Amino acid sequence: MSKQVAVILSGCGVFDGSEIYETTLTLLRLDQLGIGYRCFAPDIDQHHVIDHRSGEVAEGEARNVLAESARLARGEISALTELEAGDFDAVILPGGFGAAKNLSNFAEASDEMEVLGELAAALAGFHEARKPIGLMCISPVLVPRLLGRGIAVTIGHDPGVSGAISAMGGLHRSCGVEDIVVDFENRVVTTPAYMLATRISEAATGIFKLVDRIDELMDL
């Protein structure tokens, strides 16, 4: 596998980590295209732990983002501090609330958000080298803070989230669940995924398009 993609995770589970279906569909499509990948996650405590049956915070429980992400990666994962852009041709960030709680504090701070320093450092190398960057679901909200102002992204058409993106200097583009938005100048590809999806097949269509476009951009 000549092409290699870094996949950055934020835990395991839609409400407090990486969205499991989005992550699995991303890895599946990369494998179907013959693209190698390696998963990374920050070695930090989760913001909190959510009981995914009730949706409530599990009081008194603590989990580590890297350890939880290892569940999704079947143990094949490295700490985010070990990610070197020079070792990969592109990077993809699945969604899930971990992007808004562990990789940033967007869930609490909205357009006053700060992003995790080690994530910003890792993404800077890809952006500076003009290597493709894919983000899905809620993770495109990170773009204005990670990559700069004026980059076109989508989270679908949620007015609150899209408004926050605009307030941070981003350019939000409305988009259907089965489509993507591409900022060719900055080589950023985004799709709504479970910001809009009601079925896994809907999410799969947009995610597969995102991975396919990342594949194409790696050749340019």
Side-chain angles (χ1 to χ4, degrees):
M1 296 181 179
S2 58
K3 296 176 182 176
Q4 297 290 324
V5 173
V7 179
I8 299 177
L9 304 181
S10 59
C12 182
V14 57
F15 298 125
D16 58 12
S18 290
E19 213 293 322
I20 293 172
Y21 292 169
E22 292 175 2
T23 302
T24 302
L25 290 166
T26 297
L27 301 183
L28 171 63
R29 189 58 177 165
L30 288 168
D31 187 63
Q32 288 176 334
L33 295 173
I35 298 171
Y37 59 82
R38 179 75 181 176
C39 293
F40 295 85
D43 188 3
I44 58 173
D45 289 337
Q46 288 187 188
H47 172 66
H48 58 199
V49 178
I50 298 292
D51 182 333
H52 280 60
R53 296 172 300 170
S54 66
E56 301 296 324
V57 175
E59 298 293 347
E61 187 171 347
R63 299 188 184 184
N64 176 274
V65 173
L66 179 58
E68 289 298 295
S69 299
R71 295 175 179 271
L72 276 173
R74 296 176 61 87
E76 295 293 324
I77 194 165
S78 300
L80 184 56
T81 52
E82 298 177 23
L83 175 54
E84 297 288 344
D87 296 335
F88 295 90
D89 303 293
V91 61
I92 297 176
L93 281 72
F97 277 103
K101 296 176 178 179
N102 302 325
L103 301 183
S104 74
N105 63 346
F106 178 78
E108 293 182 329
S110 187
D111 58 82
E112 298 295 321
M113 168 187 74
E114 296 181 359
V115 298
L116 187 68
E118 62 193 75
L119 176 66
L123 268 290
F126 286 91
H127 191 47
E128 290 167 5
R130 295 189 50 77
K131 294 183 177 182
I133 300 171
L135 309 97
M136 61 193 69
C137 191
I138 192 67
S139 64
V141 301
L142 305 175
V143 168
R145 292 285 191 261
L146 287 173
L147 307 179
R149 302 166 66 90
I151 299 174
V153 300
T154 190
I155 49 82
H157 45 65
D158 181 284
V161 179
S162 62
I165 291 172
S166 298
M168 291 186 286
L171 297 177
H172 183 265
R173 300 287 184 255
S174 293
C175 180
V177 65
E178 298 178 338
D179 211 347
I180 59 176
V181 166
V182 184
D183 187 309
F184 286 99
E185 181 179 353
N186 291 283
R187 299 167 72 79
V188 172
V189 187
T190 53
T191 191
Y194 272 98
M195 288 295 288
L196 293 178
T198 58
R199 306 192 313 275
I200 191 170
S201 58
E202 290 180 342
T205 300
I207 290 169
F208 281 18
K209 284 183 179 178
L210 180 148
V211 177
D212 290 351
R213 184 56 57 88
I214 292 289
D215 184 27
E216 294 170 2
L217 289 172
M218 285 189 285
D219 291 328
L220 300 178

